[in-house]
Amino acid sequence: MSQQWGGQGGQPWGQQGQQPWGQQWSRPGAAGNPWGGGTQPGPPQWGAQQSPQQWGGQPGQSKKSGGLGKVLLIAGGLVVAAVLGLVIWNLTQPQYKNDNYQIPPATANAPELPINENPAEWDAVLTRNALYQQTVDSPVRCQMNPERLDPDGTPEQVQAYLQQEMNCLYRVWGPTLDRTGKYHTFVPTVTVYTDSITTACGTKPKEPNAFYCGADQQLYFSMDMFRHPATDTARVHPVADFIMAHEYAHLLQGRVEIAGVRYQSADQLTKSEWLTLGRRNELQADCLAGMYTAAVAQSRGYGQTEVAAITALTQQIGDDSGGRTAPGDHGTMASREYWSQLGMSTTEVAKCNTYAASPDLVR
């Protein structure tokens, strides 16, 4: 089954053709932070420049000395100045993590998905997963060429850009999963399409969409995301990057058995229970995408403008956008903003444990 950014396709009780984008909205006011403090996560403060440490005071007066003494004094002063300069330079440079982590080539031949077939362990997989015990390294270097996606570029150019994004996602999440001692991820391929497309998950129509296909563990992105008036937010930097981080998060859910448990339990759930499980799944992907975005923010030069663009995206998508009232499987606009911002404000994966969150936070 495919996890879709937009519509409800592929779900046993899906509402085909729902438009996930629409009106403006505000964050929930009553729901508290499930991990203490009782406050909503505010927009992450990126881009604030750290002031270098100020060194020294007034230099002391030295006594007169001979020529050799003056030479030694000058040489010593130069050494001290050089050391202090190096220290100050180091203090002002980002200490990027995972620079030496080897990134393998992208592959369409994905490793076999780990599947937990023991129903007695399913609750533990969802709510006490080994992934939740990890922290995400930050900051992580993410170098893109070009630095920004050109929404007016050719499909080939867009695909090349998004494929680079997969390397950055792997550099953030690869070490994180490795540290679980049981799970690992990989670099998938990205296919950018302009018409209907047939994948291992079936045929998708020509429409604005981006999705992860669980049957082949690859990612797909429609150029219509840039063309349709209701989805042209994707033209704003770095919204498309965030969307693909969300889809890669679905891949991660597959790699840590969460997706498998969800689908194996489908025939045991009522429609309402299935939709609730779907919302927990999608909102977790929003949160993990936020964590990735924060990890690469310094390298990518993200600041408050980029935070605002991502927030605008979450304010345009949701099961209740466009005035809809029927429960969906992706989460309300307010819930999607909440979990996206929470992810952007933490390095603790446990904070993205939507499967143990209060029902009020996963509407």
Side-chain angles (χ1 to χ4, degrees), residues 107-110 186 188 199-201 211-220:
T107 179
N109 298 314
F186 70 102
T199 73
C201 292
F211 64 95
Y212 158 73
C213 173
D216 62 11
Q217 300 182 68
Q218 306 300 309
L219 273 61
Y220 300 85

Side-chain angles (χ1 to χ4, degrees), residues 39-274:
T39 58
Q40 298 290 340
Q45 300 300 309
W46 301 333
Q49 298 297 318
Q50 299 297 319
S51 300
Q53 182 174 343
Q54 299 301 315
W55 295 92
Q58 294 297 322
Q61 299 296 322
S62 61
K63 296 180 180 179
K64 285 188 176 182
S65 59
L68 179 59
K70 290 182 179 179
V71 170
L72 292 176
L73 182 62
I74 293 172
L78 291 174
V79 170
V80 170
V83 170
L84 290 179
L86 181 61
V87 169
I88 293 173
W89 185 86
N90 283 330
L91 287 173
T92 58
Q93 299 305 304
Q95 301 300 308
Y96 289 119
K97 311 290 182 62
N98 305 341
D99 268 0
N100 296 324
Y101 190 73
Q102 186 174 1
I103 300 176
T107 179
N109 298 314
E112 185 177 357
L113 274 172
I115 301 295
N116 189 313
E117 297 181 347
N118 184 357
E121 297 178 355
W122 288 354
D123 181 69
V125 169
L126 296 177
T127 63
R128 299 186 297 280
N129 198 285
L131 179 62
Y132 302 149
Q133 301 171 22
Q134 311 307 315
T135 57
V136 168
D137 295 320
S138 183
V140 173
R141 192 189 310 272
C142 177
Q143 294 178 319
M144 303 286 287
N145 184 21
E147 293 184 358
R148 296 189 175 198
L149 174 64
D150 180 6
D152 295 314
T154 66
E156 292 76 16
Q157 291 171 328
V158 172
Q159 182 167 300
Y161 177 93
L162 296 179
Q163 193 63 64
Q164 290 182 76
E165 191 85 52
M166 296 302 106
N167 293 339
C168 296
L169 283 156
Y170 182 81
R171 179 169 283 160
V172 170
W173 289 113
T176 307
L177 267 66
D178 288 350
R179 287 192 290 267
T180 67
K182 60 185 298 188
Y183 300 130
H184 306 280
T185 188
F186 70 102
V187 181
T189 62
V190 176
T191 299
V192 172
Y193 60 100
T194 59
D195 206 338
S196 63
I197 184 172
T198 298
T199 73
C201 292
T203 298
K204 304 297 179 184
K206 175 179 169 57
E207 64 180 7
N209 202 8
F211 64 95
Y212 158 73
C213 173
D216 62 11
Q217 300 182 68
Q218 306 300 309
L219 273 61
Y220 300 85
F221 185 93
S222 169
M223 287 294 288
D224 284 349
M225 292 289 285
F226 301 134
R227 310 288 185 253
H228 196 283
T231 59
D232 61 5
T233 299
R235 296 179 61 85
V236 181
H237 175 72
V239 169
D241 306 63
F242 184 86
I243 290 173
M244 296 310 286
H246 170 103
E247 299 308 329
Y248 191 87
H250 285 314
L251 182 149
L252 295 175
Q253 290 169 326
R255 301 307 310 166
V256 301
E257 303 180 310
I258 287 175
V261 167
R262 179 187 174 216
Y263 284 108
Q264 286 184 100
S265 63
D267 60 355
Q268 303 175 20
L269 303 176
T270 65
K271 177 180 178 180
S272 177
E273 289 171 336
W274 173 260

